[in-house]
Amino acid sequence: MKKFTRIAIANRGEVAVRIIKACEELGIETVLLHSEADINTRAYRMATKTICVGPAATAESYLNIPANINGALAGGAQAVHPGFGFLSENADFAEAVNKAGLTFIGPSPEAIRALGDKVHCKELAKQAGLPLVPGYQGENQDVAHLITQAEKIGYPVIVKAAAGGGGRGMKLLKSSVEAHELIESAQREAQSAFGSPKVFLEKYLDRAKHIEFQVFGDSTGNVQHFFDRECSVQRRHQKIIEEATSPSLTDDLRRRMGEAACAIATLGKYKGAGTVEFLLQDGEFYLLEVNTRLQVEHPVTEEVLGVDLVKMQILTAQGDFVHDNKQIRAPKGHSIECRIYAENPFLGGVPSTGLLGHVEWPEGPGRRYEYGFDSGDTITPYYDPMIAKVIVWDENRPRAIQKMIRVLKDSVVFGVHTNIPYLIEILSHKEFVMGTMTTRFIETYFSESLKEPALTEIEKTVAAGALLQLRGGAGETAKASASPWASYWRGI
């Protein structure tokens, strides 16, 4: 049986921090494989050792397979944890890691090819008789051919990256007029984010809920599911609020979807953490895709079940994790996660980069924060603008919603704009409170930009005081209104 003493992390941001913490609890050292742009981030400071694998461009650093493997070997690691995104679902990377004498912390290359590639996964699901959304998963990637297939399916049609997830490389085609430009755009984004331009098409279900099941294959190949999450609150096809468990499932539906999730994972001979995603509409569910990695929203599952999925991943890769059915209990209470993005909610969510002057997350029972930046760090324009995840737990869903609103109002992010005001508006909407939202919830009820609130006299006084502190004295007061710092208070 393997026992790791040092693990390399081929990723960045909050997920790198999360993996470092799990390794520390297991007494394992870490090697952070980072880009030139991620020096002086939280993960960089926390890792036992750091090795730069390339410049800011992802193709030359986080997606560079030889650079990451050479970095792991040079750092003295025995294993590589890929986190999520980047190379986490790249079968070639997993295979190269294993050939280099390292252990890939995740499913086998064969399982990634069978399930992680969205096209191959659907072929496997067909064999298993699982319900699928109508679409096209062929090898012909010529844009004209894809447009023909979209017209056969019937608009609206959604284009997705075959090797990706997280909303990257995803475009909604409403008619043939815009199809050519959007398909090409999806292919370029898929190449940039996942190293492959391959896409596939699906009929867009316009009243669906997005439900997913956490699955986990232990060291013996026994697959269990760890119940469900609902991720229907999405903007531009990217999740921004997730919760466990879903408020939309009956006991019977939960049982049938959980069985389907385990069936597809078992067919793929799955080991480690994975997620089976479904669309649910009019009481019928359809397999969407399988994510062969840790999921951004995994904390809500951990909160309602009291498990540590990252530790379980590492122990499974060592060959010493086996499911104890007595420990897989029913979910307790309710958990909600909000993704905090560095963006301006008053200007259509445009990215907001720059220095984080001050960051403070309010502590208290049932509150959890996962973040990759501290006060004094800089949000760069090179990567996903998510800077943190806020997770709450409480006895039931209404109390969890109220706790999340309170926590967001008390959180302080000073220096860049964030989507916190947008999240509070969503959480307060009656349809979210009732749990009846679909994937078109935001599109239906919210505009791209929030109306910017007027300043109160107290806020003006606080902002002026903060400016004085930042600029180093009262003599700067007269310059404050013209300073670029003048907008920083809105990030509070």
Side-chain angles (χ1 to χ4, degrees):
M1 187 178 298
K2 304 170 186 174
K3 287 293 180 185
F4 305 136
T5 59
R6 183 175 285 189
I7 289 174
I9 300 166
N11 215 300
R12 62 180 299 279
E14 51 84 21
V15 70
V17 172
R18 173 71 178 86
I19 297 164
I20 291 170
K21 287 184 174 181
C23 288
E24 287 177 344
E25 290 190 22
L26 292 169
I28 298 172
E29 296 182 337
T30 51
V31 183
L32 182 69
L33 308 175
H34 65 90
S35 75
E36 292 173 356
D38 278 333
I39 292 174
N40 296 325
T41 59
R42 191 164 184 242
Y44 184 94
R45 290 186 290 275
M46 291 177 63
T48 310
K49 188 178 179 67
T50 60
I51 292 180
C52 183
V53 295
T58 56
E60 301 177 55
S61 53
Y62 293 110
L63 290 174
N64 186 330
I65 291 177
N68 279 277
I69 290 175
N70 290 336
L73 291 170
Q78 297 94 42
V80 178
H81 196 307
F84 43 69
F86 295 130
L87 295 170
S88 62
E89 294 184 278
N90 188 312
D92 293 339
F93 179 57
E95 198 167 65
V97 166
N98 294 336
K99 284 183 177 178
L102 303 164
T103 299
F104 182 77
I105 299 179
S108 67
E110 294 76 18
I112 296 175
R113 289 195 174 95
L115 297 174
D117 184 295
K118 314 308 177 190
V119 174
H120 291 161
C121 176
K122 289 180 183 298
E123 290 300 321
L124 195 64
K126 279 182 185 175
Q127 297 172 23
L130 296 184
L132 294 172
V133 180
Y136 170 77
Q137 300 92 33
E139 293 296 325
N140 189 338
Q141 294 292 297
D142 181 75
V143 174
H145 180 74
L146 291 171
I147 292 173
T148 300
Q149 295 302 316
E151 289 170 349
K152 285 182 180 177
I153 295 167
Y155 295 105
V157 168
I158 198 158
V159 187
K160 296 182 177 180
R168 304 294 303 275
M170 194 178 294
K171 304 291 177 186
L172 179 62
L173 311 183
K174 295 180 180 177
S175 70
S176 58
V177 175
E178 59 191 350
H180 196 283
E181 178 182 348
L182 290 177
I183 290 172
E184 283 191 332
S185 175
Q187 290 174 327
R188 286 194 301 271
E189 194 172 327
Q191 176 67 51
S192 173
F194 309 111
S196 168
K198 190 175 181 180
V199 298
F200 65 98
L201 310 176
E202 279 182 347
K203 177 71 179 174
Y204 181 62
L205 301 179
D206 61 358
R207 291 176 290 105
K209 281 181 162 288
H210 185 121
I211 311 291
E212 61 188 31
F213 276 73
Q214 177 71 55
V215 295
F216 201 99
D218 66 16
S219 299
T220 69
N222 176 31
V223 175
Q224 300 273 5
H225 79 75
F226 284 71
F227 293 90
D228 50 286
R229 300 184 283 255
E230 174 149 352
C231 314
S232 296
V233 180
Q234 300 178 11
R235 185 188 55 178
R236 303 168 195 156
H237 317 298
Q238 190 166 43
K239 306 162 189 172
I240 55 175
I241 297 178
E242 300 102 338
E243 55 186 313
T245 56
S246 167
S248 308
L249 302 187
T250 63
D251 289 344
D252 178 63
L253 196 51
R254 179 169 283 121
R255 177 187 57 77
R256 289 191 287 126
M257 293 176 75
E259 289 175 354
C262 287
I264 187 75
T266 301
L267 276 172
K269 300 178 180 178
Y270 202 84
K271 287 186 180 180
T275 296
V276 183
E277 299 193 341
F278 297 99
L279 289 177
L280 175 68
Q281 182 167 305
D282 300 329
E284 300 293 329
F285 64 89
Y286 307 89
L287 178 70
L288 190 60
E289 62 187 30
V290 178
N291 292 320
T292 57
R293 54 173 167 79
L294 191 67
Q295 199 85 340
V296 177
E297 55 270 30
H298 76 276
V300 293
T301 294
E302 295 183 327
E303 289 298 310
V304 297
L305 290 177
V307 297
D308 187 325
L309 292 168
V310 180
K311 278 188 187 176
M312 288 164 56
Q313 283 186 300
I314 295 170
L315 295 175
T316 300
Q318 288 188 163
D320 58 358
F321 178 80
V322 178
H323 287 303
D324 180 352
N325 288 336
K326 292 179 182 177
Q327 292 183 340
I328 303 174
R329 54 185 183 270
K332 180 182 178 183
H334 198 84
S335 183
I336 300 175
E337 173 182 294
C338 286
R339 303 185 186 195
I340 310 299
Y341 289 107
E343 62 181 36
N344 190 331
F346 307 109
L347 288 176
V350 297
S352 178
T353 58
L355 177 70
L356 284 172
H358 183 67
V359 181
E360 187 172 332
W361 308 109
E363 296 296 333
R367 303 171 180 196
R368 169 175 168 179
Y369 306 99
E370 298 202 351
Y371 52 97
F373 302 94
D374 294 311
S375 301
D377 289 340
T378 299
I379 305 298
T380 69
Y382 304 113
Y383 309 111
D384 185 286
M386 187 174 73
I387 59 176
K389 300 185 302 196
V390 175
I391 304 104
V392 302
W393 179 93
D394 215 312
E395 295 177 3
N396 54 50
R397 189 170 185 272
R399 292 185 62 157
I401 293 172
Q402 288 307 309
K403 178 177 284 186
M404 178 61 86
I405 292 172
R406 183 72 264 159
V407 168
L408 292 176
K409 286 182 176 178
D410 291 343
S411 296
V412 176
V413 181
F414 190 75
V416 298
H417 292 281
T418 74
N419 63 334
I420 286 178
Y422 203 79
L423 292 167
I424 293 172
E425 292 274 328
I426 293 169
L427 291 161
S428 304
H429 194 278
K430 66 178 182 181
E431 191 150 321
F432 181 84
V433 172
M434 293 171 62
T436 54
M437 63 283 181
T438 70
T439 52
R440 293 191 65 189
F441 169 64
I442 288 182
E443 176 186 340
T444 303
Y445 295 107
F446 295 88
S447 62
E448 286 290 317
S449 297
L450 292 181
K451 183 179 180 182
E452 194 162 9
L455 282 175
T456 65
E457 289 304 315
I458 292 176
E459 288 173 330
K460 290 178 182 176
T461 302
V462 171
L467 289 171
L468 284 174
Q469 292 289 325
L470 288 167
R471 301 302 296 266
E476 297 293 336
T477 306
K479 303 175 185 175
S481 62
S483 166
W485 289 90
S487 63
Y488 278 30
W489 69 274
R490 296 189 189 282
I492 296 175

